[in-house]
Amino acid sequence: MPAPTSPADLFRRSLRLLLDKDIPAWIALWAEDGVMEFPFAPDGWPRRLEGKEAVAAYMRHYPDHIDLHDFPELRIHRTTDPQTVVVEMRGVGRLVESDAPFDMTYIAVVTVRDGHFTSYRDYWNPLAVQESGADFTGSSR
């Protein structure tokens, strides 16, 4: 039986998979009933995804729109709950459609149980999705 994965280790692995554009492996890190939330999502964008399948549908076309190159700034903070971390990070790359630079700062509150993401609250900058080519979600905006 493999050793339990710490929330910080699982999060680092998830970033590596995003850089590798391995969305199926990224989705495999999720619990079946995992929830992903976007408290700052603009109108027309999803604010809550319930379940692994909903997260998979949301992320399926991500690499076709955003080509991530690096997470040059990553800070993972432990909390009083050993299964929850707060992450500060910056993702850089390019928007595939326009070849424009992509540079976003995020804060995420992530909870892991039994080696899988169960809760992921992503506090990203909604102004960034105003760029042409940033909408990979099929939003209604």
Side-chain angles (χ1 to χ4, degrees):
M1 174 177 245
T5 301
S6 76
D9 289 344
L10 187 70
F11 195 86
R12 283 186 190 92
R13 174 151 172 68
S14 77
L15 295 182
R16 179 75 255 157
L17 293 170
L18 288 175
L19 291 173
D20 292 344
K21 296 159 187 44
D22 191 345
I23 300 304
W26 188 85
I27 295 299
L29 301 178
W30 281 80
E32 289 300 323
D33 60 351
V35 174
M36 190 170 203
E37 297 177 278
F38 307 97
F40 296 153
D43 288 342
W45 282 67
R47 293 186 191 248
R48 182 178 173 92
L49 306 169
E50 295 188 28
K52 187 178 195 172
E53 290 304 315
V55 173
Y58 176 81
M59 290 295 292
R60 184 167 289 120
H61 299 292
Y62 187 91
D64 299 333
H65 298 275
I66 299 174
D67 177 19
L68 286 171
H69 297 164
D70 194 10
F71 292 97
E73 298 169 22
L74 175 65
R75 295 177 65 196
I76 299 176
H77 307 277
R78 294 182 181 160
T79 69
T80 56
D81 176 352
Q83 298 305 309
T84 299
V85 292
V86 174
V87 179
E88 298 175 85
M89 65 181 181
R90 182 172 152 236
V92 297
R94 69 179 182 91
L95 297 174
V96 173
E97 180 182 300
S98 65
D99 204 36
F102 177 83
D103 191 333
M104 173 114 46
T105 301
Y106 305 82
I107 293 178
V109 179
V110 180
T111 301
V112 172
R113 299 270 187 258
D114 300 321
H116 292 92
F117 293 128
T118 57
S119 175
Y120 190 125
R121 285 191 317 271
D122 192 347
Y123 295 88
W124 55 276
N125 179 0
L127 297 176
V129 298
Q130 295 176 351
E131 294 289 325
S132 176
D135 187 355
F136 63 92
T137 66
S139 74
S140 61
R141 59 180 186 101

